[in-house]
Each structure stands twice: as structure tokens, then as C-alpha cells.
Amino acid sequence: MAPSKKASSSLARPSQKSKPQAAPPPNWPAFKPLVPTCDLSLSPVVPSQIVVVRKFWTAALCRDYVAFLKGLPLTTTPGKPKKGEALRVNDRFQVLDEAFANRLWIETGLRELICGRDGEEGEEEDEGEMSKEQRRELWGGDVVGLNPSIRIYRYTQGQFFDCHYDESNVLTLATKPTPTPAKTTWTLLLYLTSPATGCQGGETVFYPDDLPGKKSVVDKEIVVSLETGMLLLHKHGNDCMLHEGREVLSGEKWVIRTDLCVRR
Ligand SMILES: O=C(O)CCC(=O)C(=O)O
Ligand SMILES: [Fe+2]
């Protein structure tokens, strides 16, 4: 079913081009407690399109982050989107913070999960692990880190993110000694709240494509319900599925958003 309620246009794109606010990097709390990386795993929801990592962050870490994020200067999106952009009604904080993106990439075990454990190339068959080539195919290249553009979303009752496609962006990571030319290939959403913390609604829902000539990878909607600490990854750019963040019915939905970056 192609969604129509509230839709300005299902072809609309989220506002990736709007300039990040010149906010100073926050003094983000430490990532603890964390679960051991070996307890984390990628669970495919739609093969090659949507992957989740359940309990990527512990409930205690999510709770502490929400308490911290509440103190940031979030701004409510104006209700009327620019032409061609999806209607998004939520409170948001955006910052360019490469140090935080790197911490999120390395300290949480995400790099290991996405790229595989170092030096174990060739052993993957025994463990049912992906080969380097399979990973490259899945993620759209050699993943080099996360998009330093960090977005924090808070949706309160009645807020939502209307149907849209996420774009791929070209960027240069400030790596040492030389910068790394990169592009984004997958959206990364980390849910910090769920029904367990009093948030009802707010599911991320993926739909069969409504673009003429584009073959859908699914024939019915895929509903990803909020789980505290769950990471949702989905392919974006040309292969992005039409999706929305459903209206929050009660409580607050908190999300950290960034993207996977591959070498270009
Ligand atoms: O909040 C959600 O569930 C969806 C967010 C989203 O689609 C986006 O950030 O592009
Ligand atoms: Fe999106």
C-alpha cells in the first residue's frame, strides 16, 4: 500500500542539503555500559536492503544518552518543507562531529560488525561470516567510517517523518595523514527509546516502490518497530526504499542518525 496520508509527495527527499547548524560539538557521555562486541550480530530484515542490530546499545546507555540529549538545543522543524523535500515534523539537533562519529564507529564495536574482525580473512567460511567481497557488495564499497554529520531526532506525540528516500552524499573524511574521499551508502538509525520506555508508535516503515520503472524489492510494507538500543541500517541513494517514521502516539521517540561511508 502506498501511503498517502500527510504525504506532500512520496518522491520527496529529506533535507540533506540544508546547512548543519554551526553548533559546537557537545560533550557526549562515554559509551558505557556496552555489550561485548562478540555478542552483537547483524540480522537481515530485507536481504541487501535493511539490517538491524538488536541491543546494540544497552538500555542503561540509551537512558543516559536521552537524559543528556534533552539538554541540547533542539529545534522544531518548520511544518512546511521546501519544494521536493519530505515533510518532517520533529525536533532536531545537527552537528558536524568527526570525533564522535569515529568513537561511535570504533568504540561500540560497529566497525568490527560491519567490516569483520581484523586478520581473520579466510576464516569466515567456518563461522558463517561474510567474505570481504560479500561485505563490499553489501555495503556498496569499503566502509571507512560514519558520516560526521550527526543528527539527533526527538519525536513527541503527533510528530512523524513523512515518506521519502534518503540520498547518498559525497564527502571527505578528515583522516590523517591524508583525507579520505568518501560517499554515504546506508542510513544508520539508533533507537534510544521504545514501548519499554513509554513510546508508542514511531515505527520506521518501508514500502514497495511507487516510482515508475523501478522494481520493488518487497511487495508489502515492512514495519520496523522501535526497540531500545536497536540499530537500523538501510541502503540509501539509488537503491533506497521508500520509507517513513510513523507518527508517535505517546511518549518520546529519540534517535541518533548518521550514515555509513565508503571510499570513493
Ligand atoms: O525516524 C525514523 O524512523 C526515520 C528517519 C529517517 O527516515 C531519516 O532520518 O531519513
Ligand atoms: Fe530517511
Side-chain angles (χ1 to χ4, degrees), residues 111-142:
R111 179 173 62 179
E112 230 173 281
L113 208 53
I114 300 288
C115 300
R117 262 158 290 174
D118 246 2
E120 298 196 6
E121 178 70 13
E123 286 170 31
E124 65 273 347
E125 260 126 278
D126 310 337
E127 297 177 30
E129 292 256 316
M130 278 184 281
S131 68
K132 211 170 173 188
E133 200 36 58
Q134 286 170 321
R135 290 184 193 275
R136 209 176 272 138
E137 173 75 24
L138 178 64
W139 305 124
D142 287 320

Side-chain angles (χ1 to χ4, degrees), residues 143-243:
V143 186
V144 287
L146 298 177
N147 190 345
S149 173
I150 305 294
R151 283 143 281 178
I152 307 296
Y153 301 151
R154 173 183 57 203
Y155 301 79
T156 54
Q157 191 177 346
Q159 295 188 322
F160 59 91
F161 198 149
D162 214 347
C163 272
H164 63 278
Y165 297 96
D166 293 353
E167 277 176 348
S168 169
N169 284 284
V170 165
L171 67 168
T172 304
L173 299 178
T175 45
K176 300 250 164 56
T178 48
T180 305
K183 65 174 183 199
T184 65
T185 55
W186 284 60
T187 295
L188 193 149
L189 296 167
L190 174 54
Y191 301 133
L192 302 178
T193 54
S194 69
T197 65
C199 177
Q200 305 294 336
E203 302 88 349
T204 307
V205 186
F206 296 85
Y207 294 97
D209 259 304
D210 66 349
L211 293 180
K214 199 172 172 217
K215 199 172 167 294
S216 279
V217 290
V218 290
D219 50 24
K220 60 174 176 50
E221 64 184 44
I222 304 289
V223 179
V224 179
S225 298
L226 304 185
E227 288 178 34
T228 304
M230 184 168 83
L231 190 65
L232 165 67
L233 293 139
H234 73 87
K235 199 186 240 181
H236 71 208
N238 288 341
D239 296 325
C240 189
M241 291 171 72
L242 181 65
H243 63 283

Side-chain angles (χ1 to χ4, degrees), residues 50-103:
I50 308 172
V51 175
V52 293
V53 183
R54 295 205 164 78
K55 296 194 162 60
F56 174 64
W57 272 19
T58 58
L61 179 55
C62 292
R63 183 201 56 211
D64 291 351
Y65 254 76
V66 170
F68 172 78
L69 299 175
K70 280 184 175 165
L72 294 178
L74 287 94
T75 48
T76 305
T77 329
K80 202 172 180 312
K82 288 191 209 125
K83 199 165 174 250
E85 288 185 352
L87 179 57
R88 173 170 55 81
V89 184
N90 62 9
D91 305 322
R92 152 199 274 235
F93 173 84
Q94 182 166 8
V95 66
L96 271 179
D97 192 341
E98 197 140 354
F100 181 75
N102 285 335
R103 283 183 49 209

